[in-house]
Amino acid sequence: MLTPAFIREATRAVTNPRQSVELCKSGQIYVPTVRKIVKELGDQRMEALIKAELVTLNVMLNLARPMTEPMIEGTAPLVVQHILEDDCDITLADLRIIFDRAKKGTYGSFYGGIGSADIIAWIDGYIAEKCSEYERWHQNEYQRLDPYERGSSDTKAERNAFHEALAQYTQARLTQNTEQQ
């Protein structure tokens, strides 16, 4: 069952995208993804977790114009939908990192308050970081597993293919965001 104690335990050791990737790949602790939670427990449970984070964020940032209850109610489903539409699997640990960064001021000062667009921008930035960490992890794994079996041209081809796929993904996200606006 998804309890607050389980969430704290599963996300405690993760403080950055690199640790998130390494934890997922190691299989030491199971940290559920947003997609898995929605599949098993439904949208409302995931939205409730996001709402709780937004309320905490509102209180901790002491915003001049805090998010109102209707704003929080509307933002949580948008955030969940945005995460589900993305190809990268965001875990509860990743969400905690994103919201902790906001509480620490990593995303800057929020003089005019925050809204759903801000939160989605934080998630997109984090996803880009996590994708870079996945690339680094894969490169390290390939070098460690079979350094003598692959020619340098294969490694370069893989790296170029990954960069091209990442560029296409980024372009598709930007196109989708501009079409939505």
Side-chain angles (χ1 to χ4, degrees):
M1 189 65 166
L2 191 63
T3 64
F6 173 79
I7 294 169
R8 276 193 304 280
E9 182 63 29
T11 63
R12 182 182 329 180
V14 181
T15 59
N16 60 50
R18 175 178 288 174
Q19 289 175 342
S20 178
V21 169
E22 289 171 355
L23 184 65
C24 287
K25 295 299 182 180
S26 72
Q28 293 173 343
I29 293 179
Y30 170 69
V31 181
T33 64
V34 171
R35 191 175 315 281
K36 184 86 167 169
I37 292 170
V38 168
K39 181 179 178 185
E40 291 183 6
L41 303 175
D43 292 354
Q44 289 86 11
R45 182 67 62 102
M46 191 63 234
E47 289 171 12
L49 290 171
I50 299 290
K51 288 175 191 174
E53 286 292 336
L54 293 174
V55 168
T56 303
L57 194 62
N58 250 350
V59 171
M60 290 193 73
L61 292 178
N62 195 23
L63 300 169
R65 290 188 325 201
M67 292 181 83
T68 62
E69 189 174 329
M71 288 173 69
I72 291 172
E73 291 289 328
T75 299
L78 288 175
V79 168
V80 172
Q81 178 186 4
H82 182 74
I83 292 170
L84 292 176
E85 289 173 352
D86 205 287
D87 291 334
C88 187
D89 279 334
I90 296 294
T91 65
L92 290 181
D94 296 324
L95 283 177
R96 190 188 52 75
I97 291 169
I98 292 166
F99 284 109
D100 283 354
R101 285 179 173 183
K103 292 171 193 170
K104 293 175 186 174
T106 304
Y107 302 121
S109 298
F110 309 107
Y111 298 113
I114 57 173
S116 58
D118 297 316
I119 296 163
I120 289 172
W122 302 341
I123 291 169
D124 287 343
Y126 183 84
I127 288 171
E129 281 183 68
K130 192 169 179 179
C131 286
S132 295
E133 288 301 325
Y134 269 118
E135 176 188 12
R136 183 198 57 78
W137 184 86
H138 281 291
Q139 287 175 352
N140 290 343
E141 281 299 302
Y142 288 134
Q143 289 172 358
R144 189 170 55 89
L145 291 176
D146 56 357
Y148 303 108
E149 292 180 22
R150 294 179 184 261
S152 61
S153 63
D154 289 342
T155 304
K156 287 179 184 176
E158 275 184 26
R159 187 175 297 128
N160 289 339
F162 176 82
H163 285 295
E164 175 136 352
L166 184 60
Q168 289 175 356
Y169 169 79
T170 304
Q171 183 62 36
R173 296 296 296 168
L174 288 173
T175 304
Q176 182 182 16
N177 287 343
T178 55
E179 288 173 358
Q180 289 176 352
Q181 294 174 356

